[in-house]
Amino acid sequence: MAHAGAVGETHRVAHTPSAAIRDARQSDALRITVWYPAAAGVTETPLQIGPPDHPLFDAGHAAADAPFAPGRHPVILLSHGFGGSARMMAWFGTALARAGDVVIAVDHPGTNGRDPMTMAGGLLIWDRAVDLRAALDASAADGQIGPHLDRQRLGVAGFSLGGLAALVSAGARVDLDHIIAFCHSRAADATCAPQSEAPELTLAAREQALKTPQMAALATHAGDDYAIPGVRAVFVMAPGGIEALAPPSLRTLDTPVAILLGDGDPIAPPASNGRLAATLLPHAALTVLHGVGHYDFLADCTAAGLQQQPLCQHLRVPQQRTHAAAIAAAQAFFASHLGTDGTADAVDDAHAPE
């Protein structure tokens, strides 16, 4: 199922009109990070986040622009959470690459931790699936990356709001009226509140923005079909914003989905997010990790991060244990449904035990 191969990391840029709408500088650039099985003998270096002399997060290891290992490999598209980045999810992406997959991740414009957050980035959540498709197409057209992609074995993974993006990439539809009604109900959860990364994006501010001519025109396409052709399996961690998805579109989603979450998550409460998705999806397997919170699925906090980064100060379970569980589950899930020869195992309709 897995092998301890070398991992390479390379970067590309795609250009989309949607990125220009969401980016604070109106740039149409979409940053792409690719992790992949590398040729033997390359030298990997640490992937870290924060000041070089005292990084806040350790995200894994990879060899920059290393040669690819021979052959064509399964492809996993990866979407980060609100305020995150591709690099923040490198712990997960490099692990899948070490097991033989090519992982294509992006920095979603207007909603990543490297650039200023924007209202458009926070509202146009369906365009995250557009980002993933653009990254896939750009990678497939690239002379160095494309020959190593087996698009017949295509999966999608996501964390938090990236979990929503992964489901939209498989065919789920966004329903803005549904999420607004939910957020005005007594059942409203923390996903309705402004996030710490962008406190100005209150529910009232978002509703007001949706009334502007530009946002109103864009919102008419929220419920369009943004499925990426060929997606055969979806793996989501602590999915958030599930109430923004139309329930009928989840009930009819044929793609197998694995959901991994922690029962100590106050940011994307399981009842209205991961557990809800598992109830609605016909081919879902749910795994719950006891004591695990939301930000446990970010890159490993360093000693400096534990002291200085608020996201690191609520950990109750060792991150290494949570990451190991997520990696093992994802490797097994994708190996089962993407196979090693272009064929996948039959889908098990039953929910897995927790």
Side-chain angles (χ1 to χ4, degrees):
M1 181 181 68
H3 65 274
V7 174
E9 177 186 83
T10 192
H11 300 273
R12 299 291 188 273
V13 176
H15 298 274
T16 72
S18 170
I21 295 171
R22 290 171 286 154
D23 182 73
R25 297 174 299 276
Q26 288 78 56
S27 170
D28 69 351
L30 173 70
R31 292 191 299 268
I32 302 168
T33 299
V34 182
W35 297 292
Y36 53 91
V42 300
T43 301
E44 298 184 7
T45 56
L47 305 178
Q48 298 177 318
I49 299 171
D53 54 342
H54 57 282
L56 303 177
F57 298 94
D58 282 325
H61 294 78
D65 298 313
F68 272 77
R72 295 166 67 238
H73 312 282
V75 182
I76 310 297
L77 307 178
L78 178 59
S79 177
H80 64 74
F82 185 87
S85 65
R87 176 56 57 90
M88 186 63 83
M89 298 306 298
W91 66 270
F92 183 80
T94 56
L96 293 186
R98 212 171 294 284
D101 302 320
V102 175
V103 180
I104 301 172
V106 301
D107 289 339
H108 293 292
T111 179
N112 70 76
R114 298 177 59 187
D115 304 318
M117 307 288 279
T118 67
M119 179 62 75
L123 286 176
L124 307 182
I125 53 177
W126 54 91
D127 277 342
R128 284 172 156 254
V130 175
D131 295 340
L132 294 178
R133 183 165 187 173
L136 174 63
D137 291 343
S139 299
D142 186 277
Q144 292 181 313
I145 302 171
H148 298 283
L149 304 183
D150 185 350
R151 292 188 63 165
Q152 299 302 309
R153 292 184 285 166
L154 178 62
V156 188
F159 160 67
S160 193
L161 193 57
L164 177 144
L167 291 169
V168 172
S169 298
R173 305 288 187 97
V174 170
D175 186 339
L176 292 179
D177 290 336
H178 190 271
I179 185 63
I180 290 172
F182 169 74
C183 288
H184 282 289
S185 74
R186 296 179 62 182
D189 66 14
T191 63
C192 299
Q195 303 302 301
S196 59
E197 299 88 348
E200 70 278 7
L201 299 187
T202 63
L203 178 61
R206 284 178 281 172
E207 288 186 275
Q208 189 62 36
L210 285 170
K211 295 176 182 178
T212 63
Q214 181 191 31
M215 286 297 112
L218 294 169
T220 62
H221 297 285
D224 291 356
D225 183 5
Y226 295 101
I228 299 173
V231 170
R232 293 168 57 177
V234 174
F235 184 88
V236 298
M237 295 169 282
I242 297 302
E243 290 283 359
L245 298 176
S249 73
L250 293 175
R251 294 190 184 100
T252 57
L253 195 67
D254 288 334
T255 309
V257 179
I259 302 169
L260 180 69
L261 55 82
D263 62 8
D265 188 343
I267 306 301
S272 49
N273 290 281
R275 287 185 182 275
L276 173 64
T279 300
L280 295 173
L281 290 163
H283 307 297
L286 173 65
T287 301
V288 178
L289 303 178
H290 180 64
V292 170
H294 195 70
Y295 298 121
D296 300 49
F297 295 98
L298 300 181
D300 284 313
C301 297
T302 64
L306 290 170
Q307 292 181 344
Q308 303 173 27
Q309 178 52 252
L311 299 180
C312 297
Q313 294 170 1
H314 303 285
L315 301 173
R316 295 170 49 197
V317 175
Q319 272 185 292
Q320 291 82 357
R321 186 189 307 171
T322 301
H323 289 181
I327 290 165
Q331 288 178 356
F333 175 73
F334 285 128
S336 173
H337 292 289
L338 302 185
T340 56
D341 60 354
T343 60
D345 296 341
V347 174
D348 181 2
D349 290 356
H351 290 263
E354 298 181 14

